[in-house]
């Protein structure tokens, strides 16, 4: 999606909120919305920039404080720039707020409306039955994201709440984003495979979860779900992923495929041998496709 540059916000907050409904995105940050963003602090006089790590996200409430006022009306992908005093500078950069001509540039990563965020509050309180009711009956919170960058679906999978996960996967208008990734790059499918939860992993795959989603964070292994299934020697999950077209030759950041991970897995020889046979069989099926058609 193309990123839209948003100039420094000098108009009144009320004007921003009024304009939000007419913006080009479906879910602008209306009043009370929870916004996650990455930030850069730029020294106006020298052009020197200090960056947060690309997968570090900060949290603000639209209209809630000086920073939230600047983010009101923003959409995912927007770059919002502003200058101001200490209260308008994100905490990691506050010790540099005295720089002359300095400004903040925030890239918006997620927006959750105040109404949708009520689901996150229920999940924090472990009110899972009420959360499922909210999704099923009120159709609220399906794609809510908490202040740490975890979606409701990711939270449901992490906390082993299968009924809640089913409610989210069956939601419509809107449907759940099955491939939403946390700031560290993990999708719900990564967490399901890591937990060895075959039922949830298959449900995610049936709803279109990407079996080849790689963890994008630079200092991670860059693994896909199949790497983890092989690492843990989980034959059933590995086969399920392959049945849904997981690529046995998908490479991690160090250049390792599922073959190398299976070979080095801390499991018994028989399991490693079965994994290798499974991966080879899947690779043989993919060979004509890789060559551009059947031979």
């Amino acid at each position: 999606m193309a990123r839209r540059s948003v100039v420094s916000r000098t108009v009144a907050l009320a004007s921003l909120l009024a304009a939000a409904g007419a913006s080009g995105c479906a879910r602008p940050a209306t009043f009370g919305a929870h916004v996650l963003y990455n930030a850069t602090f730029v020294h106006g006089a020298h052009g020197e920039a200090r960056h947060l790590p690309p997968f570090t996200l900060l949290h603000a409430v639209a209209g809630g404080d000086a920073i939230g006022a600047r983010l009101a009306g923003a959409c995912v992908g927007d770059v919002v720039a502003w200058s101001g005093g200490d209260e308008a500078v994100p905490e990691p950069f506050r010790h540099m707020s005295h720089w002359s001509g300095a400004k903040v540039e925030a890239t918006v990563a997620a927006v959750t409306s105040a109404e949708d965020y009520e689901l996150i509050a229920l999940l924090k309180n472990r009110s899972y039955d009420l959360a499922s009711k909210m999704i099923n009956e009120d159709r609220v919170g399906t794609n809510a994201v908490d202040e740490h960058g975890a979606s409701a679906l990711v939270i449901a999978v992490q906390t082993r709440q299968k009924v809640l996960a089913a409610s989210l996967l069956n939601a419509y208008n809107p449907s759940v984003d099955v491939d939403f990734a946390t700031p560290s790059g993990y999708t719900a499918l990564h967490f399901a495979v890591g937990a060895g939860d075959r039922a949830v992993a298959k449900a995610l795959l049936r709803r279109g979860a990407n079996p080849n989603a790689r963890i994008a964070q630079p200092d991670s292994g860059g693994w896909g779900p199949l790497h983890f299934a092989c690492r843990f020697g989980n034959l059933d999950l590995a086969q399920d992923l392959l049945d849904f077209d997981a690529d046995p030759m998908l490479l991690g950041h160090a250049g390792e495929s599922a073959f190398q991970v299976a070979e080095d897995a801390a499991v018994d020889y028989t399991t490693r041998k079965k994994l290798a046979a499974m991966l080879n069989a899947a690779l043989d099926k993919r060979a004509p496709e890789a060559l551009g058609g059947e031979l």
Side-chain angles (χ1 to χ4, degrees):
M1 178 176 67
R3 300 199 318 179
R4 301 184 293 120
S5 179
V6 180
V7 297
S8 297
R9 310 230 160 167
T10 57
V11 298
L13 175 59
S15 298
L16 286 171
L17 296 176
S23 72
C25 73
R27 292 180 296 182
T30 52
F31 187 84
H34 291 253
V35 182
L36 294 179
Y37 65 98
N38 186 269
T40 297
F41 195 70
V42 182
H43 193 311
H46 305 289
E48 179 183 355
R50 301 290 177 87
H51 304 276
L52 289 177
F55 293 92
T56 297
L57 298 180
L58 304 177
H59 172 257
V61 177
D65 57 15
I67 294 175
R70 269 74 172 189
L71 292 169
C75 299
V76 173
D78 280 356
V79 179
V80 185
W82 70 85
S83 57
D86 287 358
E87 72 283 356
V89 177
E91 194 279 331
F93 303 122
R94 201 155 290 165
H95 64 287
M96 298 181 287
S97 61
H98 63 281
W99 285 6
S100 175
K103 67 176 180 178
V104 177
E105 294 180 352
T107 302
V108 179
V111 173
T112 301
S113 70
E115 182 182 31
D116 283 345
Y117 206 80
E118 293 177 12
L119 181 72
I120 298 299
L122 291 176
L123 297 183
K124 288 181 178 180
N125 291 328
R126 300 183 181 181
S127 301
Y128 300 122
D129 290 341
L130 288 175
S132 292
K133 182 179 179 182
M134 179 178 285
I135 296 162
N136 295 333
E137 298 181 10
D138 302 328
R139 298 183 188 175
V140 170
T142 303
N143 289 301
V145 180
D146 73 7
E147 68 271 28
H148 305 295
S151 69
L153 180 60
V154 165
I155 295 170
V157 174
Q158 285 181 309
T159 55
R160 309 285 185 95
Q161 295 300 316
K162 294 187 178 183
V163 173
L164 177 61
S167 294
L168 289 162
L169 290 172
N170 290 325
Y172 64 96
N173 194 26
S175 58
V176 72
D177 181 358
V178 291
D179 287 326
F180 181 93
T182 67
S184 57
Y186 290 84
T187 66
L189 184 58
H190 282 104
F191 286 113
V193 171
D197 195 331
R198 187 184 184 192
V200 170
K202 288 186 74 172
L204 288 164
L205 290 165
R206 291 191 188 104
R207 293 301 189 279
N210 181 5
N212 296 309
R214 294 172 70 242
I215 302 172
Q217 190 172 6
D219 59 357
S220 74
W223 284 10
L226 183 60
H227 287 88
F228 287 100
C230 291
R231 171 66 179 82
F232 299 127
N234 194 317
L235 296 169
D236 290 334
L237 271 172
Q239 187 61 64
D240 291 339
L241 290 163
L242 292 168
D243 289 343
F244 280 87
D245 208 29
D247 184 358
M249 295 305 296
L250 183 74
L251 300 181
H253 290 330
E256 72 279 34
S257 70
F259 283 95
Q260 282 81 40
V261 174
E263 184 178 356
D264 296 335
V267 294
D268 60 85
Y269 171 76
T270 300
T271 299
R272 295 199 304 272
K273 186 174 180 180
K274 288 180 179 178
L275 282 171
M278 191 181 296
L279 294 169
N280 276 308
L283 192 61
D284 288 343
K285 291 181 181 179
R286 295 174 66 92
E289 173 190 326
L291 292 173
E294 293 187 5
L295 298 178

